[in-house]
């Protein structure tokens, strides 16, 4: 009678258990930090299920944790206490990333966790409070990480690289039809490095004395790889940048971020930077930023346009939303002794430029209402030069 004696779901030989492959103990906080770092390269929806995993691989006395979406890869090395023999080359397994990270996050901080895997790709986490079991994939099926062939290497202070990433990210384009501008251009020369980002509406040019290369090198790094490298970077020590085989690699202590370079021609950004801007205005950066934010609340929801009227000793910032019959105007003191002029900007772009500027005073240079405005700090930080460019918008005809 099959109804009274159902077929067992799983049968094994008496006493048979899958062979242990890897077993180690690690602090839950250290494991969570490492998993959080590499999870940035795990795709949300992958065409290959194994890409939704992180790879655990033994590397002598360290656990090597890797993730990739085939364009961006992250590798984190984590010292752990192994209890298995280190000569077995098969000590690697792909573990479901989300479930693993969610589990480790839910554990008490600093709790010792024992992780073991077996020949059936089962992953088991054990603490003094409980046991958590999941099934992964054969680590041998995980995609091989990129190999940088004939790579050129550059050393750079980690804090300087992170600053370059932080200062350019907001200006990177999101337009897939202009792939070159979806990355950040690095032009590393014997005397300094230029780091450039633009989306066609604003541009950031950062010149850094602390990063050099001889011979010179040039590459476009994808914004996602840079963002992940910036999150992994600390303030101390040097990092290593390697370029070769179509990839750029950032080695930051125990973390390595690898990104597929954007193989496109970057726009000639020097051609759009005005060289004869005779109108110079100096203003307290935070005062102008806050005024623009307030006035922008009354701008058109379609254009986000604000009008800047440059007067003697003051800027008048105004905006109007005709559809909602609302308007606002503010006056901010400044130093300006050129001819009076009115110029319009997208409030969002102007706000982001002012927020990104590290200076008490911002210096604007203008030539005419239809030419780009150049923005720079009144006193640049030591070892760097910052130039930002913001394109104007055509002014509406409403009364100022």
């Amino acid at each position: 009678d099959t109804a009274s004696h159902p077929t067992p779901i799983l049968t094994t030989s008496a006493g048979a258990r899958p062979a242990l492959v890897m077993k180690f103990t690690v602090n839950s906080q250290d494991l969570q930090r490492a998993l959080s770092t590499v999870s940035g390269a795990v795709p949300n929806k992958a065409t290959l299920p194994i890409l939704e995993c992180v790879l655990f691989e033994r590397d002598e006395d360290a656990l090597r944790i890797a993730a990739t979406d085939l364009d961006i890869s992250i590798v984190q090395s984590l010292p752990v206490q192994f209890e298995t023999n280190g000569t077995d080359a098969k000590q690697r397994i792909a573990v479901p990333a989300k479930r693993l990270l969610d589990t480790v996050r839910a554990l008490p901080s600093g709790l010792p966790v024992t992780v073991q895997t077996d020949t059936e790709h089962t992953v088991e986490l054990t603490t003094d409070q409980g046991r958590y079991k999941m099934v992964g994939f054969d680590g041998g099926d995980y995609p091989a990480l990129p190999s940088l062939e004939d790579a050129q290497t550059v050393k750079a202070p980690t804090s300087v690289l992170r600053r370059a990433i932080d200062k350019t990210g907001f200006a990177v384009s999101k337009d897939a039809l202009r792939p070159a501008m979806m990355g950040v251009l690095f032009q590393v020369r014997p005397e300094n490095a230029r780091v450039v980002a633009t989306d066609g509406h604003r541009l950031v040019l950062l010149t850094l004395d602390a990063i050099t290369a001889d011979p010179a090198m040039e590459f476009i790094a994808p914004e996602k790889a840079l963002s992940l490298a910036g999150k992994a970077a600390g303030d101390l020590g040097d990092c290593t940048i390697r370029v070769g085989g179509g990839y750029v690699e950032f080695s930051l202590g125990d973390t390595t971020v690898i990104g597929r370079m954007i193989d496109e021609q970057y726009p000639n950004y020097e051609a759009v930077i005005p060289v004869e801007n005779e109108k110079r205005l100096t203003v307290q950066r935070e005062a102008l930023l806050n005024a623009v934010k307030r006035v922008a609340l009354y701008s058109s929801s379609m254009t986000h346009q604000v009008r800047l009227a440059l007067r003697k000793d003051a800027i008048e910032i105004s905006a109007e939303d005709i559809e909602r019959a609302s308007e606002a105007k503010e006056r901010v003191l400044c130093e300006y002794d050129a001819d009076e002029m009115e110029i319009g900007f997208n409030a969002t772009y102007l706000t982001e430029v002012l927020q990104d500027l590290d200076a008490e005073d911002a210096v604007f240079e203008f030539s005419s209402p239809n030419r780009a405005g150049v923005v720079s700090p009144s006193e640049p930080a030591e070892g760097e030069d910052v130039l930002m460019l913001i394109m104007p918008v055509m002014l509406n005809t409403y009364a100022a």
Side-chain angles (χ1 to χ4, degrees):
D1 183 1
T2 56
S4 57
H5 300 285
T7 304
I9 295 174
L10 178 66
T11 58
T12 58
S13 351
R17 294 190 61 185
L20 180 68
V21 174
M22 179 164 48
K23 184 176 182 180
F24 61 86
T25 302
V26 63
N27 181 288
S28 62
Q29 188 173 0
D30 294 340
L31 182 58
Q32 179 185 333
R33 189 180 298 115
L35 290 171
S36 296
T37 298
V38 302
S39 65
V42 177
N44 293 326
K45 294 182 179 179
T47 52
L48 300 173
I50 199 168
L51 292 178
E52 296 178 3
C53 296
V54 293
L55 178 68
F56 277 10
E57 184 175 21
R58 180 167 184 169
D59 183 12
E60 296 182 351
D61 291 329
L63 178 69
R64 193 168 175 262
I65 307 176
T68 184
D69 63 3
L70 302 181
D71 286 321
I72 310 293
S73 305
I74 306 181
V75 182
Q76 174 85 41
S77 181
L78 179 64
V80 300
Q81 184 179 343
F82 281 101
E83 298 180 35
T84 46
N85 190 309
T87 59
D88 187 351
K90 294 183 180 179
Q91 290 194 39
R92 58 203 311 256
I93 186 170
V95 189
K98 186 178 187 305
R99 173 164 286 178
L100 177 63
L101 180 55
D102 288 347
T103 301
V104 175
R105 277 178 176 159
L107 294 174
S109 178
L111 189 72
V113 181
T114 298
V115 181
Q116 67 179 46
T117 69
D118 60 33
T119 50
E120 292 188 355
H121 318 310
T122 299
V123 185
E124 186 175 295
L125 279 66
T126 306
T127 71
D128 58 3
Q129 297 176 335
R131 183 171 64 91
Y132 316 91
K133 194 173 183 180
M134 66 191 84
V135 178
F137 294 84
D138 185 348
D141 295 334
Y142 199 80
L145 299 185
S147 173
L148 276 69
E149 301 171 359
D150 302 322
Q152 184 176 353
T153 300
V154 172
K155 291 281 188 181
T158 303
S159 57
V160 174
L161 175 65
R162 190 173 73 174
R163 182 169 175 80
I165 294 168
D166 291 344
K167 291 296 159 190
T168 55
F170 80 94
V172 174
S173 175
K174 304 293 190 295
D175 185 357
L177 297 177
R178 306 162 91 176
M181 293 162 63
M182 295 181 73
V184 176
L185 173 67
F186 282 74
Q187 294 176 315
V188 190
R189 304 170 295 186
E191 64 275 13
N192 56 30
R194 283 185 163 191
V195 187
V196 185
T198 183
D199 62 0
H201 302 288
R202 57 259 166 102
L203 178 146
V204 180
L205 167 58
L206 188 63
T207 304
L208 301 166
D209 294 342
I211 304 179
T212 61
D214 191 7
M217 61 193 295
E218 182 173 316
F219 59 91
I220 305 174
E223 190 275 335
K224 182 179 179 181
L226 289 172
S227 176
L228 293 171
K231 290 177 182 177
D235 289 322
L236 302 176
D238 287 347
C239 68
T240 302
I241 305 172
R242 299 175 68 233
V243 176
Y247 292 90
V248 57
E249 175 186 284
F250 301 93
S251 295
L252 307 144
D254 292 333
T255 307
T256 300
V257 179
I258 308 169
R260 190 191 303 273
M261 290 189 295
I262 298 176
D263 186 17
E264 298 281 344
Q265 182 67 40
Y266 203 79
N268 180 10
Y269 64 89
E270 292 178 314
V272 301
I273 299 176
V275 292
E276 294 181 357
N277 284 4
E278 71 281 1
K279 297 179 174 65
R280 181 182 172 94
L281 179 148
T282 303
V283 62
Q284 208 276 332
R285 182 192 67 85
E286 193 167 348
L288 179 59
L289 171 62
N290 291 332
V292 170
K293 284 182 176 180
R294 288 188 291 265
V295 172
L297 297 173
Y298 294 81
S299 66
S300 164
S301 59
M302 296 292 292
T303 65
H304 305 288
Q305 176 185 291
V306 293
R307 176 191 298 257
L308 271 59
L310 314 183
R311 311 298 188 205
K312 300 294 183 183
D313 304 324
I315 309 175
E316 290 184 358
I317 306 134
S318 58
E320 183 180 54
D321 187 349
I322 298 175
E323 291 184 359
R324 292 174 174 79
S326 58
E327 60 181 315
K329 180 183 292 187
E330 280 203 35
R331 185 171 179 269
V332 177
L333 297 178
C334 69
E335 295 178 14
Y336 179 71
D337 56 8
D339 294 337
E340 293 187 357
M341 183 181 82
E342 293 190 0
I343 188 168
F345 289 112
N346 179 300
T348 302
Y349 298 157
L350 181 57
T351 297
E352 288 179 340
V353 165
L354 289 169
Q355 285 176 333
D356 204 61
L357 206 63
D358 285 337
E360 185 173 342
D361 292 333
V363 177
F364 287 78
E365 296 177 356
F366 302 104
S367 60
S368 65
N370 60 355
R371 296 287 303 278
V374 175
V375 190
S376 58
S378 57
E379 296 182 3
E382 185 178 355
E384 73 173 40
D385 187 29
V386 184
L387 181 149
M388 300 187 189
L389 182 148
I390 179 168
M391 298 299 294
V393 296
M394 184 178 297
L395 284 169
N396 293 333
T397 56
Y398 67 82

